[in-house]
Amino acid sequence: DTEVTQTPKHLVMGMTNKKSLKCEQHMGHRAMYWYKQKAKKPPELMFVYSYEKLSINESVPSRFSPECPNSSLLNLHLHALQPEDSALYLCASSPGGALQETQYFGPGTRLLVL
Amino acid sequence: AQTVTQSQPEMSVQEAETVTLSCTYDTSESDYYLFWYKQPPSRQMILVIRQEAYKQQNATENRFSVNFQKAAKSFSLKISDSQLGDAAMYFCAYREPGAGSYQLTFGKGTKLSVIP
């Protein structure tokens, strides 16, 4: 089973709202990722958690705040977003610590900021 | 820095025919991993196939196979007996080995259309 789930599927929010995206995997993977993908572009890495610790933050604005409560769950808290933050947000996971680090992606959350 | 180039922004193939998507990359590393991901309109990135650079044998997964030319830094994807469900954006990706190396470098993608 290589399933990564994400909720919600779609989200519309105003620039003053606070919302959260959720990602879950039950494959025992120890690395989890957030990507941002604009239309017709490849995904861009935002954050990486390895063994529940933030390993990589790719200079993402502070209005995006990741959280990894446990090894199966990854959240992305959103606050005071801008219209240019509208995109598809993808979560991924990988086994972690092994050489063959294949990343498995979730279905994404389509975010629209008004 | 590693770069991945997909020179074909769009391609089309007749149903049941064979199509090859090209990918080249630039790296100074001798050991690394290459991937092809498929992203249909449903949005989910699906792993199609993976190749380890130290393996000379080309990877194969059912109708999908790769032509890995390490010296030429080329990694093309061949889809045989194309089906309507193969229509998607295909991304080639590169990754260095080793714990702590998480960055996947993606190409810009090739949009594949399948004509019935």
Side-chain angles (χ1 to χ4, degrees), chain B residues 33-80:
Chain B
Y33 300 94
L34 296 164
F35 307 87
W36 278 100
Y37 282 92
K38 164 186 175 182
Q39 189 175 36
S42 64
R43 311 175 319 202
Q44 183 156 7
M45 295 276 283
I46 301 165
L47 176 69
V48 175
I49 203 163
R50 177 183 68 202
Q51 175 80 43
E52 292 87 351
Y54 63 85
K55 289 187 178 178
Q56 292 187 336
Q57 187 172 7
N58 289 325
T60 299
E61 287 287 341
N62 301 314
R63 297 182 295 107
F64 299 88
S65 61
V66 298
N67 183 4
F68 173 50
Q69 302 288 329
K70 191 172 183 180
K73 297 180 183 175
S74 171
F75 182 60
S76 60
L77 175 69
K78 185 171 88 170
I79 306 174
S80 304

Side-chain angles (χ1 to χ4, degrees), chain A residues 5-108:
Chain A
T5 60
Q6 289 186 244
T7 55
K9 289 185 178 179
H10 298 92
L11 180 62
V12 180
M13 60 186 291
M15 289 189 284
T16 58
N17 291 158
K18 285 185 180 180
K19 296 285 184 183
S20 296
L21 309 185
K22 179 180 173 181
C23 173
E24 202 160 2
Q25 57 87 16
H26 294 287
M27 297 177 279
H29 288 177
R30 301 312 300 269
M32 297 186 77
Y33 311 73
W34 280 116
Y35 286 87
K36 174 183 178 180
Q37 187 181 23
K38 298 287 253 183
K40 299 183 181 180
K41 299 286 187 185
E44 298 174 4
L45 184 65
M46 300 175 72
F47 302 104
V48 180
Y49 273 84
S50 175
Y51 292 84
E52 299 156 51
K53 286 186 169 44
L54 184 63
S55 296
I56 293 176
N57 177 341
E58 293 286 354
S59 303
V60 179
S62 59
R63 55 185 185 269
F64 295 92
S65 175
E67 179 196 18
C68 188
N70 59 59
S71 59
S72 300
L73 190 57
L74 185 66
N75 297 319
L76 185 63
H77 303 297
L78 314 173
H79 173 55
L81 294 193
Q82 303 297 310
E84 59 264 28
D85 296 322
S86 298
L88 179 67
Y89 288 84
L90 293 166
C91 174
S93 71
S94 66
L99 292 179
Q100 296 184 7
E101 282 295 310
T102 300
Q103 293 184 23
Y104 298 93
F105 286 82

Side-chain angles (χ1 to χ4, degrees), chain B residues 84-104:
Chain B
L84 294 177
D86 295 333
M89 183 72 86
Y90 286 81
F91 291 100
C92 178
Y94 165 100
R95 183 191 170 271
E96 291 179 5
S101 177
Y102 298 104
Q103 184 78 35
L104 265 181

